[in-house]
Structure formats: C-alpha cells, structure tokens
Amino acid sequence: MAIPTDSRPDPDALLAQLREDDLSFMRGKLRIYFGASAGVGKTYAMLSAAQRAQQAGQNVLVGVVETHGRKETMALQADLKLLPLRKVPHRGQILLELDIDSALTAKPDILLVDELAHTNAPGSRHPKRWQDVQELLDAGINVWTALNVQHLESLNGTVGAITGVRVNETVPDTVLDSADEVVLVDVTADELLSRLKAGKVYIAQQAERASQNFFRKGNLIALREIALRRTAEHVGDDVRTYRTLHTQRTLNSHASGTPAWNTSGAILVCVGPQEGAEHAVRSAARLAGQLNVRWHAAYVETPTLQRRPAHERDRTLTVLKLAEELGASTAVLTGDDVAQALMAHAQTLNCASLVIGRPDKSRWSFVRRMFQPTITRQLATLAPTVDLVEVGASESVRKLPSALPRQVQDDSEENAWIENWSRYATAAGACLLTTLLAFPLAQLFDLANIVMLFLLCVVLVAVKLGRGPSMLAAVLSVAAFDFFFVQPRFSFAVSDVQYLLTFGVMLVVGLLIGQLTANLRFAAQVSATRERRAQALFELTRHLSGALLTSQVVESAETLVSRSFGGDARVLLPDANDQLSFGTHLPESLDTSVADWAFCNGQRAGVATATLPGSQWHFVPLQAPMRIRGVLALLPAKPRWLLIPEQMQQLETLARQIAIALERVHYVDVAQAAVVQMESERLRNTLLAAMSHDIRTPLTALVGQAEVLAASTPLTQDQLSSAQSIGQEARELSTLVTNMLEMARLESGQVELRKDWQSVEEVVGSAIRYARHALGTLVVRTELPDDLPLVEFDASLIERVLVNLLENAAKYGAGSVPSEPAIIVSASITPTMLVVTVRDFGPGLPMNVKGKEDELFAKFTRGHNESSTRGFGLGLAICKAIIDAHLGKITAAQAAGGGAEFTFTLPRNPPPETR
C-alpha cells in the first residue's frame, strides 16, 4: 500500500519566492523595445507609448533618445519632459551622456533611455549604458529602452557571419532575459528597405552605403527570424516561470494540478527500470529533433525500485547518461507513486507530450493489471490533456555498455546476498527474542497484549531493517503466536475458529505496518541525502568566502569535496605559462594527461564520462566567468554516484563555487599589484617632474654660458672646441630632461589640446629649425603639396612630435655613406585625415623588433639596446601620447629601398571658409 505523497510546500522554495517578490517589489520594471535592426520603429513605438502613459497621468521623463533627425520621431518627443544631458570632456571634445544622478534625483515613474548597447564616454560611472539602466532599476525607477538583435552578446558571432559586419557594442543576454516586458517591433524586409530609400532610417548618403552592406534583403530576413525566435524564447521563459509559481501555489492549496499548456512542444521521456528503456530515449531524441523542441528525461526512484540489484540500477543511470548525451536535461525523482511524480515534473517543465515504453507482455502482466493499472492508464487518468506516446519494443536494439569500467565498478552486488541474509537472520532472531520475552508473560497478560508485543517487534524490524525483513517478521510472529500461545499450545492446530481471524488480522496489520514504516524510512533517507548536499554546498561557500589566499581555497575545496563524495579530491592549478602544475605529491593513479585534456578543452573527462573513461579519476574543469581556473580531480568512493544527475549537478556546483573563489582571489592579487604599480608610477612621475624642473634651470644657464664662451675672443682652437662641446652636451642633456618632463606631464592627464587651424608647412619648417642643432649638417628635404589645406591641431605639440622624429632620424638614421638628402619629410591628405611621414636612409629598424614595431613607442624602449647613442627611449613614447590625444595613429616600418619610415595620421575636417 502506498503512503500519501507529501504535498507540503518546500520551505526553501517559499523563502526564495518571498525574497524574489521583495526584490521585484522594490526594483523598477524594465521594458525593452526589441527589433531586428535599426529603422524598424523601436524609438517611435517607445515614444508613442510614452505619450499615452503621460496622458494617463504618469510622470514620464526622457533620459536620452536618439531621433537621428527623423521629423516624426522628433515630433513625438516634443511634448515630453527632457532630462538635461551630462557633458563629459574627452580629448578636447564635449560628449553628451545620460545624467544618472539627475535621473535618480528626479525619480520619474518612467524614464526613457534609448540605445541600450551604447558605450559611455571614458570617465563615466559605468562603461556601458545598460549598466546605468541596472542602477536606475535598483533605485526603483521603471525604464523603457530599445535594443537591436545584433547587439546581443551570444548572437555577436552569428550576426557577424550573416551580415559581414562586426558589432562592437553588445549587451549580455541576461539583460534581455531579466526584462519584465519585451515588446517586439517588427516590419517586413521590403517595408524596411522602402523606409531606407525614403530617408526615414538614415540620410541619403548613409542610406546608400547601408543598402549595399548591412541592409541587404537576405540579411534583414535572417535578422528578423533571429529576433522572432529570441522573443519567442523570452515568452516561453515567462510561461514556464508562471507555471512553476502557479504549480507551487496549487500544491500549497492542495488543489488539483494545472494541466500542461502545449505552447513550447517540450517532450518528457519516462525512463523505466526494464531492459530496452534506451529505445524510448532514442525515439524521444528523434522526435524532439524532428519537432525542433526541448526534451527531458526522468526516472522515478520508488522504495520498491531502490531494492533492485546494483547492476540494474547502473543500467538505468546509463540510460539517463545516454539521454544527457543526446541533448536532454535529466532528473532522478523520488516518490512512491510514479505517475504522480512524472505528472508533477511535466507540469513544472510545461511538457505537453510524454514518451513512455510499452508495458511488457509477460505471463503475469495480465494478473498484475487486474490489481494495478498500467503507467499509461494512470497518466491518462491524471492528465487527460497530455499527449502520450508509447514506444514499441525493439528486439534488435543495441544494449548499452556500462558507463563505468569494470575495474572501478562497485563490488557491493557480490556481497549483497550476505548482507540480505544477515538482515533476514536478524529479523528471525528478533522474533525469537520476542517469543522468549513473551513466554513468561503469558500467565500474567491476556493474549491480546501478547499480540501487541509481536506487532512492536514487526515495527522495530521495519524501521531498522526494511520492508523484506519486516514481512518475514510478520509471518514468523503469527506462527510463533499460534505455536506457543494459542491452545492447543506447541501445535499449529487451532481449537477455536475465531483465532483464524486473529491470525489474519495480525498478519495484515504486521505487513501494513512494515510497508508504511519502510516507506517512511525511504522518505527520511531521501530527505537526509538532500540535506547533506545542501549542507556541503553551504559549508564550502562559507569557507571559500573567507579565503584570501589561493592555498586556502585549495585546502578548503579538497577537504569538503572529499567529505561530500568520499575518496580523494585534488585541485590542480595552472602555472605562469597557463599549464597545469601537478607538484610532486600526486597519487600514482591520477593520470595527468587526462587532467590536461579537461583543462585545455573545458570538458569533463575520466570515469563516468565519454572521454577517457578508463581513468579511475573524474576531472571537472573549474570554469569561472572569465576563464578556466584549473581542474578538480575526484577519486570517488562509489563511482556509480557520478551517474546520478543530482550528484553530478552537486559536483558541478561545487566546482563552479571553487572556480569563482579562485578567480576572486586572483583578481584581489591583480588589484593589489595594480595599486602598487600605480603608486610606483605616480612616484616615478613625481620624481621625474621634480628632477626635470630642478635640472632644467642650471642646464639652460650652462648652454648660455657655453655659447658666450664660444663667442668670446681670443680663444685657441682647443678652447673653442671645448666650449662648443660643452654647449652640445648641455643641449642634449636639456633635451633629455625636456622629454622626461613632457612625458610626466602627458601621463598626469593635465594636458589640454589647444586646437586651431594651422599651416602644415609652417609647423614643419619650425620643427626643422628647432632640431637643427641635432641635425647638424644633415640635409632635410620636404615634400609638401602646394595645395595642402589648413588642418586643426595643437601646433606646439605636433611640432614636438616632428622634432622628436627628426632627432630620432639624426641619431639612428644617418647612413655610413652620406646621401642627399639624409631625411625626407612628406605630407598628404585624404578626405578624412592628414598623413605625415618622416623617412631616413639609414640601416632601418633593428631585426629584433620585426613584427613588433609597436613596442618602439613604449616608454624607456630603444631600438638598439646597449648602443653608443645616448637617450632614455622617451622620444617616440611622447610622440605616441601626443598623437593618441589627437585621436590619430603613429606607426613605424621599414622604408622601401632602405631606411626607417615613421608615419602619423591626424583626423581632419573641412577647413573654414575664408572671406
């Protein structure tokens, strides 16, 4: 007889639901207007809804909306209140960004924030606009925003492969998944192309380029399909969430379950204990593939099935593992009613189709169905709206091999019969002991009291030894009571017929008590197992949260994982070269090559997996949010536990917590190193600035005195040469000091560009005159077009760039054979930039920087190490810092025909008109 299923609500689920309700009550609501591409009307739809909300009396505020010059969109925005944008200075320009503080102060009912994937200007509170939105939601402000499908992080590669356009601004998928409302704004590809031609998406010139690249009809159709599918997935998640909550509330109210809604077409396959269950799994996988739907596999563990031999339980777990390999999510359910457990699981997953194997046709099946209907009939009675698919048996189906190698299989089955005989012998001994205790009491108590003693024995045997021994105890108790206490005693003969009823009731009561007690014992074991898993996870999380060193994380992880699964556990971490380090105290049975494979491929390997299953160890990669932090190696006490989905999920959860803790400790070390490096950099810059200021003044005086000394008369030739040498050395030292001071000033961020429209010829000529002392007798030729227009830049800083490049060419570019000219300075323009090149005819760039030319622009880097040419390696670093501040680019390369060539580009705009 089955005991009633416990329908009490799960306290953990209730607490989680209460916390979620509190957070959702305090947090703002996020509505995303979702579309396939720009121009479908997301901003228009958002502004139209905002107009209706404002007319309904809600306080609507426009945080930031990009109208792109569309008159219809600007007209909708005109009647709405606007939030002043925040001005952010960046490299001489003023960028307009969302003012989060003003929005938090205003606290509107609805805030409109367009272009969710936008990247904020450097120096903003958050690097991405979607992070601004998260802060606003946490403050309780409802936010409406817009998003295109190509900006989803998981679809970045897919969209790039379809359109050939790389999208750099992305939003995590969790933002869309956590949105309270997703409004799909959809138009056909032909209509969108018509809008593009009419100038409703971009201006004419941009529209023409877009129609030839991104806005091709095939691209738009593919993006539309992706957007529709992604929206459908979000709606499907909403349906499952609703059904989960509704099912829980239904259970709490003890009402009947809610029938499944056939919206997603999900399939649940029931894995039975019989041979051939894998055929049902394969059929369900084919059916799910044909319908392109999700599918699940579940096995219900009842008290009766728990007593099966170990090899039969392993066979069921192997079938579940096959289902997981075929793409199903698997679960092992517990309960005494298989049909009710399966229906509850199907309702939670919103599965409207169940696939089950056809019942066997053995000789006893007809008799069994007379007392208990088949599982198919029970499911049809419990849920008449659910589609049931029976899979026929197949005699030619391939039987699954065991998922565990023979050398690691449990030997418990070989000793099971010994354990079973001992349990039954103990039950018989308990009956004998009860008989001996009751024998002297027969003269003092009535026979009804003696019956109670035997029933107590049956209860105790059921609690301690299980159902089978309790049934034996019930039969032996009836026999002992009849033989020793009923007249005629010491005989199984019965003098009074009424004792036959006593024997029957006593036997039935004993069997019933044993059955109920055994079921309660099974339920208690299941609850205890769940509690142990939760306790292990709690202890690991508590220990890891207080770990500050990698060694502490490793020690806590190994100890708690070993305690949870038995056996041995090791945490293997990578070294500085990103290779696993194994140390010198590893067990001999641990195969390091399997651990390396798991680390490099990011997949589980070893025992109970499809990869290198011959190993006795199970290897789980420690996958953290950023990267794989190592490998967790486990030598389980009972390898078959790894085939149980709940145990596998427990191990993966523990591994994930360990990986997150290792990553947290890593970034703590990185942050500490970054702080030390920043302080060292700040100290170095301060020292450089102080030394440069203190040394610059006496150097300037020294140069002046040397020039005065060289001009005075009369001086001998040696004295004149010495005076000129003093001046030359002082000027070189002054240049080095100037470079150090300039570098410190640039890195401090105190440089403000003073851009103006400048003549490139004048700046080049001024730079050549300033560098003449370094150029000496070298001839510099300029190749500047006569029609070179004015360009907007900071003249003093660009002059410094040219001077440094000329001095660098004079130092390293002078060839052994004099050439005319020695240096060429050329310039040209393109529609968008100015290109300036300084070329010499020397030996060119050193071979050790080939392919790494960008390293020449690092601080304190010199092309020829240990060369006789003096310098600190700051000149090119200053050039790069100045060009970067102008939003330009500088490169170095080997010149055609020999020599080195340094080229920098500056962005340009059309010069102002002169009258």
Side-chain angles (χ1 to χ4, degrees):
M1 177 178 178
I3 62 173
T5 302
D6 189 2
S7 61
R8 293 176 298 174
D10 185 357
D12 294 333
L14 289 178
L15 290 176
Q17 182 60 40
L18 289 174
R19 286 194 294 267
E20 185 176 349
D21 292 342
D22 291 340
L23 290 176
S24 62
F25 177 77
M26 299 171 58
R27 183 178 170 86
K29 305 297 183 183
L30 176 62
R31 175 188 291 184
I32 296 180
Y33 287 84
F34 191 56
S37 65
V40 297
K42 301 182 300 300
T43 304
Y44 188 91
M46 181 173 63
L47 289 174
S48 300
Q51 290 279 4
R52 294 190 296 269
Q54 182 170 268
Q55 294 173 3
Q58 292 184 287
N59 180 17
V60 181
L61 186 61
V62 177
V64 55
V65 167
E66 299 292 345
T67 62
H68 298 288
R70 302 166 190 158
K71 296 180 180 180
E72 299 87 350
T73 308
M74 296 175 65
L76 286 175
Q77 185 182 352
D79 298 334
L80 299 174
K81 292 182 292 185
L82 302 180
L83 181 72
L85 297 177
R86 183 171 57 93
K87 297 181 180 180
V88 181
H90 178 61
R91 295 182 175 179
Q93 300 179 359
I94 300 298
L95 303 179
L96 300 179
E97 296 291 352
L98 173 66
D99 193 340
I100 304 177
D101 295 327
S102 298
L104 294 174
T105 303
K107 204 172 181 62
D109 295 332
I110 299 173
L111 181 67
L112 305 185
V113 181
D114 204 2
E115 294 190 356
L116 185 61
H118 171 75
T119 300
N120 293 329
S124 301
R125 184 182 305 179
H126 303 295
K128 293 287 187 178
R129 182 169 289 173
W130 65 266
Q131 295 171 320
D132 298 340
V133 170
Q134 294 296 325
E135 182 176 348
L136 295 170
L137 293 173
D138 292 337
I141 299 176
N142 299 325
V143 178
W144 293 1
T145 185
L147 178 68
N148 289 331
V149 68
Q150 67 262 28
H151 294 297
L152 285 178
E153 180 65 40
S154 65
L155 299 175
N156 187 259
T158 302
V159 173
I162 293 173
T163 63
V165 177
R166 182 172 59 185
V167 180
N168 295 320
E169 293 182 327
T170 58
V171 173
D173 290 50
T174 53
V175 177
L176 180 65
D177 296 336
S178 62
D180 299 277
E181 299 178 25
V182 175
V183 180
L184 178 65
V185 183
D186 181 49
V187 296
T188 63
D190 292 332
E191 182 179 351
L192 183 56
L193 291 175
S194 299
R195 291 185 183 183
L196 184 67
K197 293 179 181 179
K200 296 182 179 180
V201 180
Y202 298 121
I203 61 177
Q205 185 178 3
Q206 292 178 333
E208 183 178 357
R209 289 199 306 267
S211 62
Q212 298 173 358
N213 296 285
F214 189 88
F215 280 78
R216 293 195 295 267
K217 185 174 180 179
N219 294 350
L220 298 179
I221 294 174
L223 292 177
R224 186 185 181 205
E225 179 187 2
I226 296 174
L228 291 170
R229 287 182 180 275
R230 197 64 181 81
T231 306
E233 291 175 5
H234 187 277
V235 176
D237 292 339
D238 290 342
V239 172
R240 285 190 294 274
T241 301
Y242 171 80
R243 288 189 56 78
T244 300
L245 295 177
H246 190 73
T247 301
Q248 184 62 45
R249 291 167 183 166
T250 302
L251 291 175
N252 296 345
S253 61
H254 304 283
S256 59
T258 306
W261 297 341
N262 194 5
T263 57
S264 63
I267 296 174
L268 174 64
V269 57
C270 312
V271 178
Q274 300 85 3
E275 291 188 11
E278 61 271 17
H279 182 56
V281 168
R282 296 189 181 103
S283 300
R286 289 196 305 272
L287 182 60
Q290 294 169 359
L291 299 177
N292 194 23
V293 296
R294 297 176 296 104
W295 68 293
H296 313 268
Y299 166 71
V300 181
E301 179 92 341
T302 63
T304 302
L305 295 179
Q306 192 189 32
R307 298 191 302 273
R308 291 190 304 153
H311 72 278
E312 294 186 7
R313 297 199 303 270
D314 290 346
R315 182 182 62 209
T316 301
L317 296 177
T318 304
V319 174
L320 287 175
K321 186 173 181 296
L322 171 66
E324 186 175 351
E325 292 174 353
L326 293 177
S329 61
T330 59
V332 174
L333 311 176
T334 56
D336 61 314
D337 192 311
V338 176
Q340 288 184 359
L342 287 174
M343 284 312 307
H345 194 58
Q347 290 172 2
T348 301
L349 299 175
N350 195 30
C351 297
S353 300
L354 270 68
V355 178
I356 56 178
R358 182 169 298 165
D360 59 343
K361 299 295 183 179
S362 62
R363 66 179 64 181
W364 299 107
S365 59
F366 175 76
V367 178
R368 190 162 54 246
R369 283 197 295 271
M370 294 178 57
F371 297 96
Q372 182 180 10
T374 62
I375 185 67
T376 307
R377 181 61 58 188
Q378 295 179 50
L379 291 172
T381 303
L382 289 174
T385 61
V386 173
D387 297 333
L388 299 177
V389 180
E390 274 194 2
V391 178
S394 176
E395 298 180 356
S396 61
V397 66
R398 180 182 66 89
K399 293 186 178 181
L400 295 177
S402 175
L404 299 176
R406 182 173 299 275
Q407 61 268 25
V408 298
Q409 289 182 0
D410 295 341
D411 57 355
S412 56
E413 185 176 359
E414 301 176 0
N415 301 324
W417 68 274
I418 300 178
E419 181 181 355
N420 289 335
W421 277 111
S422 64
R423 289 168 53 235
Y424 284 99
T426 304
C431 293
L432 176 61
L433 180 61
T434 303
T435 303
L436 295 177
L437 292 175
F439 199 83
L441 300 177
Q443 305 298 330
L444 303 176
F445 297 99
D446 194 31
L447 292 182
N449 296 322
I450 302 300
V451 170
M452 294 300 102
L453 290 178
F454 283 104
L455 292 180
L456 177 61
C457 173
V458 173
V459 171
L460 295 178
V461 170
V463 171
K464 295 296 183 181
L465 303 177
R467 180 183 289 101
S470 69
M471 296 175 65
L472 176 64
V475 174
L476 292 179
S477 296
V478 172
F481 179 72
D482 179 25
F483 188 82
F484 291 103
F485 300 100
V486 176
Q487 298 293 337
R489 301 177 66 182
F490 306 108
S491 172
F492 288 107
V494 178
S495 60
D496 194 345
V497 179
Q498 66 178 348
Y499 280 111
L500 295 178
L501 178 62
T502 302
F503 297 155
V505 172
M506 182 178 175
L507 179 61
V508 171
V509 171
L511 295 176
L512 180 61
I513 290 177
Q515 177 77 6
L516 294 176
T517 306
N519 288 347
L520 290 176
R521 182 169 177 261
F522 171 73
Q525 291 176 350
V526 172
S527 299
T529 302
R530 292 176 177 174
E531 182 181 359
R532 283 195 300 269
R533 288 202 295 261
Q535 182 67 22
L537 182 59
F538 169 74
E539 289 186 7
L540 180 65
T541 305
R542 180 168 58 86
H543 282 81
L544 295 181
S545 63
L548 298 177
L549 300 175
T550 302
S551 58
Q552 295 175 341
V553 174
V554 171
E555 182 180 358
S556 300
E558 292 179 348
T559 301
L560 293 174
V561 173
S562 299
R563 187 185 307 168
S564 300
F565 290 87
D568 192 7
R570 298 297 175 94
V571 176
L572 308 176
L573 302 178
D575 54 19
N577 298 323
D578 206 23
Q579 300 292 328
L580 280 184
S581 177
F582 299 101
T584 57
H585 300 288
L586 286 181
E588 295 182 359
S589 59
L590 195 151
D591 192 342
T592 57
S593 61
V594 183
D596 274 327
W597 189 95
F599 178 74
C600 296
N601 293 274
Q603 299 178 16
R604 295 186 290 118
V607 65
T609 69
T611 304
L612 304 172
S615 173
Q616 300 180 16
W617 291 71
H618 185 84
F619 299 90
V620 182
L622 299 177
Q623 180 68 61
M626 296 301 296
R627 50 164 292 181
I628 298 177
R629 295 291 168 184
V631 173
L632 173 63
L634 173 65
L635 179 64
K638 295 184 178 180
R640 64 177 304 272
W641 284 4
L642 298 178
L643 298 177
I644 303 175
E646 283 72 16
Q647 291 292 108
M648 198 65 252
Q649 293 172 6
Q650 174 79 354
L651 180 59
E652 290 179 350
T653 302
L654 296 178
R656 192 177 303 112
Q657 294 298 321
I658 297 170
I660 292 174
L662 290 172
E663 188 160 275
R664 174 181 58 81
V665 172
H666 169 74
Y667 282 113
V668 167
D669 296 338
V670 170
Q672 292 176 347
V675 170
V676 173
Q677 185 177 3
M678 290 172 59
E679 292 298 328
S680 301
E681 192 74 16
R682 187 179 295 111
L683 177 60
R684 184 174 65 179
N685 290 337
T686 303
L687 292 175
L688 287 176
M691 290 176 59
S692 300
H693 279 292
D694 293 340
I695 298 175
R696 199 174 187 183
T697 301
L699 282 177
T700 304
L702 183 59
V703 171
Q705 293 295 331
E707 292 177 351
V708 171
L709 180 61
S712 62
T713 56
L715 291 177
T716 65
Q717 186 63 32
D718 293 339
Q719 291 173 339
L720 179 61
S721 177
S722 298
Q724 292 175 346
S725 177
I726 292 173
Q728 179 66 23
E729 296 292 337
R731 274 190 292 269
E732 290 187 2
L733 184 57
S734 178
T735 300
L736 294 177
V737 173
T738 301
N739 284 338
M740 289 192 295
L741 181 60
E742 191 71 22
M743 195 72 239
R745 190 168 67 94
L746 289 171
E747 289 194 340
S748 65
Q750 300 175 358
V751 177
E752 294 185 4
L753 299 182
R754 298 178 180 178
K755 290 186 176 182
D756 201 355
W757 295 99
Q758 306 289 345
S759 170
V760 179
E761 296 92 334
E762 293 181 1
V763 176
V764 171
S766 177
I768 294 175
R769 287 192 299 271
Y770 188 86
R772 178 48 61 188
H773 68 279
L775 296 172
T777 59
L778 296 177
V779 177
V780 179
R781 188 176 74 191
T782 59
E783 297 178 354
L784 307 177
D786 296 335
D787 58 346
L788 198 62
L790 299 179
V791 182
E792 189 180 17
F793 54 79
D794 189 320
S796 61
L797 292 180
I798 296 301
E799 180 182 320
R800 166 55 58 184
V801 172
L802 289 170
V803 169
N804 286 354
L805 292 178
L806 290 171
E807 290 179 349
N808 185 77
K811 288 181 180 179
Y812 301 101
S816 58
V817 178
S819 60
E820 295 289 344
I823 301 173
I824 297 178
V825 180
S826 61
S828 62
I829 59 170
T830 68
T832 58
M833 65 182 63
L834 167 70
V835 182
V836 180
T837 302
V838 178
R839 186 236 171 118
D840 61 60
F841 293 88
L845 301 179
M847 294 300 296
N848 61 335
V849 299
K850 185 177 181 180
K852 301 180 291 183
E853 288 82 1
D854 290 343
E855 296 181 358
L856 291 173
F857 298 98
K859 290 185 300 182
F860 306 106
T861 299
R862 304 177 64 191
H864 297 274
N865 294 329
E866 305 295 337
S867 69
S868 60
T869 305
R870 287 173 292 184
F872 283 176
L874 290 176
L876 295 181
I878 293 174
C879 293
K880 179 174 174 55
I882 294 175
I883 297 301
D884 287 346
H886 282 78
L887 302 181
K889 184 177 181 180
I890 184 170
T891 59
Q894 296 283 3
E901 187 176 74
F902 289 85
T903 303
F904 67 87
T905 60
L906 297 177
R908 61 177 292 267
N909 297 315
E913 297 181 359
T914 56
R915 296 183 180 179

